[in-house]
């Protein structure tokens, strides 16, 4: 049975093609300098640099997702907005 190749971003268990280092979702989401750092370090067999670049990718993705979580609407606010939409005050 063929080995499952997983994305290099920590916490991502998405499969990728054998010659790729990142899944398609993370390849599109990461800036070019982080992508090339992961790929170049792995090709040059610099494991410490590769691990550092992978951690940097995870931190970048976490910082991008954090504002969306912080801006979530509370249940009370959702109820107020629903009342406003229906004209119930």
């Amino acid at each position: 049975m063929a080995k499952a190749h997983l994305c290099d971003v920590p916490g991502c268990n998405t499969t990728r093609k054998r010659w790729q280092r990142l899944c398609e979702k993370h390849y599109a989401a990461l800036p070019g300098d982080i992508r090339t750092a992961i790929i170049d370090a792995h090709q040059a067999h610099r494991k410490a640099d590769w691990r550092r670049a992978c951690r940097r990718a995870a931190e970048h993705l976490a910082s991008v997702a954090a504002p969306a979580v912080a801006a979530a609407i509370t249940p009370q606010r959702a109820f107020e907005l629903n009342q406003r939409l229906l004209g119930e005050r």
Side-chain angles (χ1 to χ4, degrees):
M1 185 167 199
K3 177 184 173 186
H5 299 282
L6 300 178
C7 180
D8 283 351
V9 176
C12 179
N13 293 325
T14 307
T15 58
R16 58 172 172 82
K17 293 187 173 80
R18 187 175 64 83
W19 61 85
Q20 297 173 331
R21 298 304 324 156
L22 302 168
C23 64
E24 293 179 20
K25 180 180 103 174
H26 287 136
Y27 188 84
L30 289 171
D33 62 328
I34 296 176
R35 286 193 313 243
T36 55
I38 291 172
I39 294 166
D40 292 343
H42 188 269
Q43 285 178 346
H45 302 287
R46 297 187 325 258
K47 293 198 183 264
D49 292 338
W50 173 75
R51 284 191 298 268
R52 191 176 306 115
C54 290
R55 277 194 307 269
R56 189 172 156 215
E59 291 168 1
H60 174 77
L61 292 170
S63 69
V64 170
V69 172
I73 297 175
T74 64
Q76 292 81 13
R77 180 68 178 145
F79 186 72
E80 291 170 7
L81 291 173
N82 190 29
Q83 283 181 326
R84 189 179 188 192
L85 180 68
L86 296 174
E88 302 171 0
R89 290 197 177 204

